[in-house]
Amino acid sequence: MPGLPHIKSHHNHQLTTRIAANISLALALSIPLFSQTYIDTLKHNFQNPPDNAKPMMRWWWFGTAVEKPELLRELQQMKADGIGGVELAFVYPQVLDDPAKKLINEPFLSPAMLDNVRYAQSEARKLGLRVDVTLGSGWPYGGPATTLEEAAGRLRTAEIPLPANATTLPKLKLPEGESIISISLVNGEPKHWDAVSVKTVTPNEISSIPASTTPRTALFFIASHTRQQVKRAAVGAEGWVLDPFSHQAVATHLKAVGEPLIQAFGPTPPYAVFSDSLEAYGADWTPNLPAEFRKRRGYDLLPHLPELVAGGTPAAEKIRHDWGQTLTELVDENYLTQINNWATEHHTKFRSQTYGEPAVSLSSQRLVALPEGEGPRWREFSTLRWASSANHLFGNNITSAETFTWLHSPVFRATPLDMKAEADLHFLMCVNQIIGHGWPYSPPQVEEPGWSLYAAAVFNNHNPWHPVMPNITRYIQRISFVLRQGQPANQVALLLPTDDAWAKFSPGKVSVTEEMTHLIAPALMSAILSAGYNVDFIDADAINSVGLGTHQILVLPPTERIPLETLRKIHTFAENGGKVLVVGHSPTTDPEGKSSPELTELSKVIAVVPNTGELTKALDNVGNPDLKLTNADDHTKEVVGFIRRKLRTADIYFVVNTSNHPIDIASATFGTSFKSGQTWDPDPVASSPATPTSQPIHLAPYESRIFVFSNSKTATPFVDCCPEQIDISTDWKVNFVSINKTLTETTLTDWTADPATKFYSGEVAYTRDFTLDYAPKGKTFLAIEGGTPTDPNPPITQQAEKAEGIRNPLVTRPGPGMRAWYDPPIREAAIVYINGQRAGSLWHPPYQLDVSKFLKSGQNHVEIRVYNTAINAWAALPPHDYKLLIAKYGDRFQMQDLDKVQPQPSGILGAIHLIITNSR
């Protein structure tokens, strides 16, 4: 190609600041605090983090129709991709048995299936991969070993209107497994009766009740079952969901399912056994609940069942509170503690998503070895912060998260940028172990793009952008590593009003975490975060058992009930210098709903903030924020997130632009006592000096940065100035690799504009030559510029499968649909080669690479290999017909958002420049 045109100088402020932020990682620390500088060691380990910080993958085995050669190939691929381990997950079949194609659904726990487990875990260990296993198939726990007697129970109320002057009660014909536990008479008609008028009917009185001309209703309280089946079960794993309040039901499952699975691991047990989010929908009863209630609460529940069902009075709230507390204690003891003890006895750990239904509390997580969360709800109540908070409170350094669930639906649509956007939100909530959702096993015999879960992203190598997966996992590994250093340093503890949540329980709705979504307003969370603080959740049990730790400020949402013991400890916290704020009003009663002079007196240490709008100001008055953005507008404060880790000789801050717009902050002040600092770019790794005060922060959309502050002095940096820009956006040779189609593009064009490549999914190589009169002395960057925000205010949808009443597991509702709201200039990722040498990958903003060391005087050759998603090729295929599969196995899954399966823009869609700087 001919030489480049005359180079023009462009003095662009944002470009200059970007170049300054990419100073070489070789900047050394001088005058170390110790003979071996801790910061140097930390930086080295950040560049080369340990294997245990690598992300893991949930590995779905469908059917289970798997074969050993493909199991080994996929494990080797994961190892090459920088994935550190797998969680074995056994789910629904994708195909009918086809012996000719060697596609056989080996039944769950069959000898063949367990032999595949044995093989996979053995080969994974040889590769140095961690292996966890789900103690069941699908979710929640249950299956063929769970009888109806041990299945999840619920309280059912039959309301029968009585004729005037009736003297006998009708006889009910109950389905199998149901029994009447109590009968009451109330004045009024069904759905409109008066609980105050209740009269309990004994078995001897059923045929001889007194006559009355007043309309009456007979209430039959029935020990029933939810009749929920295990969701997404593999062949042979079908059956009832177990009763999580029953010691015997859980013991049966551990013996029938846990023992065979753990034995398949032989002498090398799994790192952890896993329990997915508790989704025993509507489970609120167990056969021995009346006896346990009397033992724990000191009175008989049965006469109060009308109040429990009716609600609406202080007396009813007390009954519901005590019922909820009892349910929490039962699931703690019979599910969580029993499984955790079982795991310990089998030389493994219990990893548990301890939230949802039934009624686990925040402090329930102290009973499991590895509490885990999910959900990228950073600025509202989140089960992810719920898990990380518990880990902080109870001394666990690692918080794992089920990540990328429902990411940019439909399947095959998720991109590397989507992954970063969601992972960063997890990191902001103190996660430091990512477990991707997920990796579908896909046999080579099936048509591309292969198998996928009904509602999840696909991260195996059937996705065309997979060649950049090692870069994505390396980024995740680096951030996970750095967020494991030192101790958490969240300044604010937010008290979750668990007693209020219990008091709001009602039949079929017994989830503490669900109630917290109403009790903890998003505006309250945003006020704390926008004020420059980070926050842990805490509950009364945690305050009573472990105290408030290093938290400096306690915030209470509007709260009615609080234990006196907790209030006394809060009073002591305030006397010792802690600050206590409550939004709205101070607590008014104890958990029983009773007020007292002591409660009133102790509450005086709590400063009342009228509303959430005043909370930011109140926080400013009582503390010093950890990150203050001077003169930043409200929007900037809402989208810039951070998390801090405190080390003995340093402070680490992870700072993120969570938005789809660039952020320019003129001055940020970090709440550290250290005087010297550095900022590290995590991908590609580069560093430059930073200051804890008046630090400018410039972040591209979805960009992140590490700031490290210590007392080690930093060297004076070189300053790259006067960037000169060369436009190389024209005259590219474009080769569609898998269809052997080559053309020359004068102007870079979307692949889908050409009917011949509209449905192309795969690799396209862009190549051209350019000439440099001399090898640049300063830094030179290859930048692909452009990119457009798509929707700054996306609609918020409800959490997947959240419906009123007892949920139908056959209905899959739309998920939250996390994604990056940004159309980048590369769709979706690229690997750059300069003169035959790999210079790096481009998969997130800013789309630029330092290519200085690869350039030479004279002619240079650049190749950009671009990869899109598999959805374009998938869009060309006819819809899959699942009728025969459903006829044989039932309707076990529903593919999501199929109406959105259409070709997406692909290729390089922005301008390509070389940016040459001069150093001084």
Side-chain angles (χ1 to χ4, degrees):
M1 281 191 172
L4 292 170
H6 176 68
I7 296 173
K8 296 182 180 180
S9 177
H10 298 265
H11 299 280
N12 181 289
H13 169 71
Q14 192 170 15
L15 178 61
T16 303
T17 56
R18 171 66 54 209
I19 302 307
N22 283 279
I23 305 298
S24 168
L25 185 60
L27 285 172
L29 298 175
S30 62
I31 316 177
L33 198 61
F34 303 104
S35 57
Q36 180 179 358
T37 306
Y38 177 77
I39 299 301
D40 281 340
T41 302
L42 181 65
K43 185 188 294 186
H44 172 79
N45 291 336
F46 178 68
Q47 285 182 277
N48 305 283
D51 286 349
N52 63 12
K54 289 180 176 179
M56 295 175 57
M57 282 290 167
R58 182 172 293 181
W59 192 16
W60 293 295
W61 291 15
F62 296 98
T64 60
V66 300
E67 293 182 283
K68 291 183 175 67
E70 180 60 20
L71 290 174
L72 177 58
R73 190 203 68 79
E74 294 191 13
L75 286 168
Q76 291 170 336
Q77 184 67 55
M78 282 187 256
K79 174 71 172 181
D81 291 340
I83 293 166
V86 295
E87 170 203 303
L88 302 182
F90 316 107
V91 292
Y92 57 83
Q94 290 260 18
V95 66
L96 296 173
D97 287 353
D98 188 343
K101 293 184 178 180
K102 298 182 179 180
L103 294 173
I104 305 295
N105 290 296
E106 302 293 356
F108 184 62
L109 299 183
S110 66
M113 177 266 188
L114 292 173
D115 185 55
N116 286 327
V117 171
R118 178 202 59 76
Y119 175 80
Q121 67 87 23
S122 176
E123 294 302 317
R125 298 297 174 82
K126 293 175 186 176
L127 293 167
L129 301 177
R130 168 178 156 179
V131 183
D132 292 4
V133 64
T134 304
L135 279 188
S137 171
W139 64 92
Y141 285 174
T146 298
T147 63
L148 184 59
E149 182 182 6
E150 294 183 353
R154 73 179 182 106
L155 176 65
R156 184 168 76 87
T157 304
E159 303 181 9
I160 308 298
L162 295 181
N165 296 314
T167 58
T168 62
L169 295 181
K171 291 184 179 180
L172 296 186
K173 184 177 181 180
L174 299 178
E176 177 191 3
E178 288 193 342
S179 61
I180 296 173
I181 52 179
S182 181
I183 305 173
S184 295
L185 286 179
V186 290
N187 293 336
E189 299 176 347
K191 306 300 181 184
H192 302 287
W193 42 267
D194 179 13
V196 177
S197 66
V198 65
K199 181 185 182 302
T200 300
V201 179
T202 67
N204 295 330
E205 297 173 324
I206 292 177
S207 58
S208 60
I209 62 173
S212 174
T213 58
T214 302
R216 292 182 298 174
T217 297
L219 304 178
F220 291 84
F221 297 101
I222 300 164
S224 184
H225 295 93
T226 67
R227 295 185 175 266
Q228 181 186 351
Q229 298 274 329
V230 173
K231 298 166 62 177
R232 324 304 177 203
V235 173
E238 307 86 352
W240 305 117
V241 169
L242 62 77
D243 178 356
F245 305 114
S246 165
H247 187 278
Q248 184 55 53
V250 176
T252 297
H253 181 82
L254 291 174
K255 181 177 180 180
V257 178
E259 293 290 346
L261 282 173
I262 211 81
Q263 289 170 10
F265 282 75
T268 55
Y271 182 89
V273 294
F274 176 62
S275 171
D276 211 332
S277 54
L278 301 176
E279 297 180 25
Y281 299 149
D284 60 15
W285 196 263
T286 193
N288 67 339
L289 179 60
E292 290 292 340
F293 187 95
R294 176 184 286 277
K295 180 174 70 175
R296 297 163 191 266
R297 307 282 86 86
Y299 64 97
D300 190 356
L301 174 63
L302 297 185
H304 297 282
L305 289 178
E307 292 170 283
L308 186 151
V309 171
T313 67
E317 288 182 353
K318 179 189 182 306
I319 300 299
R320 289 181 168 187
H321 170 278
D322 292 352
W323 171 58
Q325 184 177 4
T326 304
L327 292 176
T328 297
E329 291 170 359
L330 291 177
V331 73
D332 282 357
E333 296 167 14
N334 297 319
Y335 189 88
L336 298 176
T337 299
Q338 184 177 189
I339 298 174
N340 195 71
N341 290 344
W342 182 91
T344 301
E345 292 166 2
H346 289 79
H347 310 290
T348 183
K349 301 177 182 180
F350 182 31
R351 178 165 62 87
S352 172
Q353 294 183 356
T354 311
Y355 46 84
E357 298 180 55
V360 289
S361 69
L362 177 79
S363 282
S364 297
Q365 296 174 99
R366 75 193 186 280
L367 303 172
V368 304
L370 302 172
E372 178 171 292
E374 68 173 308
R377 292 165 185 79
W378 165 48
R379 298 180 74 88
E380 57 188 279
F381 176 80
S382 164
T383 58
L384 191 51
R385 194 181 297 276
W386 165 277
S388 65
S389 298
N391 282 320
H392 293 169
L393 294 168
F394 302 117
N396 297 323
N397 190 44
I398 306 298
T399 296
S400 59
E402 175 189 314
T403 314
F404 312 131
T405 309
W406 301 92
L407 181 68
H408 208 157
S409 185
V411 296
F412 301 113
R413 179 65 184 88
T415 69
L417 179 56
D418 292 324
M419 294 177 71
K420 184 181 189 301
E422 178 164 335
D424 284 347
L425 292 181
H426 285 61
F427 293 139
L428 288 177
M429 289 182 280
C430 308
V431 167
N432 48 22
Q433 174 64 69
I434 296 294
I435 299 181
H437 189 282
W439 185 291
Y441 172 95
S442 191
Q445 304 97 303
V446 303
E447 184 180 31
E448 289 293 335
W451 287 350
S452 63
L453 195 76
Y454 67 98
V458 174
F459 301 125
N460 62 23
N461 63 328
H462 293 265
N463 225 330
W465 55 254
H466 198 81
V468 303
M469 181 64 87
N471 302 93
I472 302 168
T473 59
R474 194 65 159 179
Y475 170 80
I476 292 172
Q477 183 184 5
R478 286 189 177 121
I479 305 303
S480 298
F481 162 75
V482 82
L483 293 182
R484 297 180 183 189
Q485 305 312 299
Q487 299 295 323
N490 294 347
Q491 294 170 287
V492 174
L494 178 61
L495 181 61
L496 302 182
T498 306
D499 289 285
D500 284 355
W502 285 328
K504 293 180 180 295
F505 278 9
S506 62
K509 296 180 180 180
V510 292
S511 169
V512 173
T513 49
E514 181 65 24
E515 290 300 332
M516 288 303 163
T517 63
H518 308 295
L519 294 167
I520 306 298
L524 189 154
M525 289 292 299
S526 279
I528 296 172
L529 296 172
S530 292
Y533 294 88
N534 256 303
V535 59
D536 284 322
F537 297 146
I538 196 168
D539 65 5
D541 285 346
I543 291 177
N544 295 345
S545 62
V546 299
L548 281 148
T550 60
H551 297 100
Q552 301 157 32
I553 303 170
L554 175 66
V555 174
L556 283 70
T559 302
E560 303 296 334
R561 291 170 172 76
I562 191 168
L564 270 173
E565 180 186 357
T566 306
L567 201 51
R568 293 183 190 116
K569 290 185 179 293
I570 291 173
H571 189 273
T572 301
F573 170 74
E575 286 184 329
N576 292 331
K579 306 301 181 182
V580 187
L581 305 173
V582 63
V583 177
H585 61 82
S586 295
T588 55
T589 71
D590 65 12
E592 300 295 309
K594 298 176 182 178
S595 185
S596 69
E598 183 184 8
L599 189 147
T600 302
E601 183 64 27
L602 290 172
S603 294
K604 290 181 180 178
V605 303
I606 305 176
V608 178
V609 181
N611 52 63
T612 54
E614 300 291 326
L615 182 56
T616 297
K617 181 179 178 181
L619 288 167
D620 286 340
N621 290 337
V622 300
N624 295 311
D626 225 348
L627 180 59
K628 185 175 183 179
L629 307 181
T630 305
N631 296 327
D633 59 24
D634 289 344
H635 172 72
T636 299
K637 292 178 180 178
E638 289 172 359
V639 301
V640 173
F642 77 96
I643 197 70
R644 176 188 179 193
R645 298 286 294 190
K646 189 170 185 61
L647 289 66
R648 187 169 62 89
T649 59
D651 282 329
I652 298 173
Y653 289 79
F654 173 67
V655 180
V656 184
N657 177 7
T658 67
S659 79
N660 56 4
H661 289 81
I663 293 295
D664 290 290
I665 299 166
S667 178
T669 299
F670 294 85
T672 178
S673 61
F674 297 105
K675 305 303 182 185
S676 189
Q678 302 178 32
T679 175
W680 300 347
D681 282 341
D683 180 71
V685 175
S687 73
S688 59
T691 175
T693 59
S694 303
Q695 171 67 37
I697 299 177
H698 308 284
L699 295 171
Y702 301 108
E703 189 180 9
S704 55
R705 194 80 51 76
I706 299 288
F707 290 85
V708 181
F709 298 101
S710 70
N711 286 330
S712 299
K713 293 186 178 180
T714 56
T716 301
F718 291 104
V719 177
D720 288 333
C721 71
C722 310
E724 299 174 296
Q725 185 169 290
I726 304 172
D727 189 342
I728 55 171
S729 301
T730 59
D731 300 324
W732 286 86
K733 182 179 179 181
V734 181
N735 176 27
F736 291 80
V737 175
S738 62
I739 59 174
N740 198 29
K741 175 183 174 68
T742 301
L743 51 88
T744 298
E745 289 190 354
T746 303
T747 302
L748 297 168
T749 305
D750 181 355
W751 306 349
T752 63
D754 182 349
T757 54
K758 179 178 181 179
F759 297 102
Y760 181 84
S761 289
E763 176 185 332
V764 173
Y766 291 71
T767 57
R768 66 159 288 173
D769 294 334
F770 60 90
T771 301
L772 294 176
D773 294 336
Y774 57 89
K777 295 180 180 179
K779 290 186 176 299
T780 300
F781 297 87
L782 185 144
I784 301 181
E785 299 175 346
T788 307
T790 53
D791 188 347
N793 296 296
I796 299 173
T797 57
Q798 295 298 312
Q799 170 67 27
E801 304 184 3
K802 300 292 184 188
E804 296 299 322
I806 298 176
R807 301 159 194 175
N808 181 356
L810 294 181
V811 176
T812 305
R813 295 171 178 84
M818 172 67 198
R819 56 166 289 186
W821 296 90
Y822 187 75
D823 285 341
I826 300 175
R827 303 295 298 270
E828 301 298 336
I831 299 175
V832 177
Y833 294 82
I834 303 290
N835 295 321
Q837 299 181 75
R838 177 170 171 153
S841 66
L842 298 169
W843 57 278
H844 63 82
Y847 291 91
Q848 68 175 36
L849 285 173
D850 182 351
V851 296
S852 309
K853 66 181 180 180
F854 305 105
L855 297 173
K856 61 183 180 180
S857 176
Q859 181 169 288
N860 291 265
H861 181 74
V862 59
E863 178 180 5
I864 306 175
R865 301 177 186 175
V866 178
Y867 312 92
N868 65 346
T869 72
I871 200 168
N872 290 22
W874 194 34
L877 301 177
H880 193 86
D881 187 353
Y882 292 104
K883 289 187 180 67
L884 294 178
L885 192 68
I886 292 171
K888 182 171 180 62
Y889 295 119
D891 190 4
R892 302 195 187 194
F893 67 99
Q894 301 83 40
M895 295 298 293
Q896 293 297 288
D897 295 322
L898 294 181
D899 59 316
K900 298 177 183 176
V901 179
Q902 51 190 297
Q904 296 299 310
S906 301
I908 301 177
L909 306 179
I912 308 175
H913 294 109
L914 282 178
I915 302 165
I916 302 174
T917 66
N918 296 309
S919 296
R920 59 178 173 84

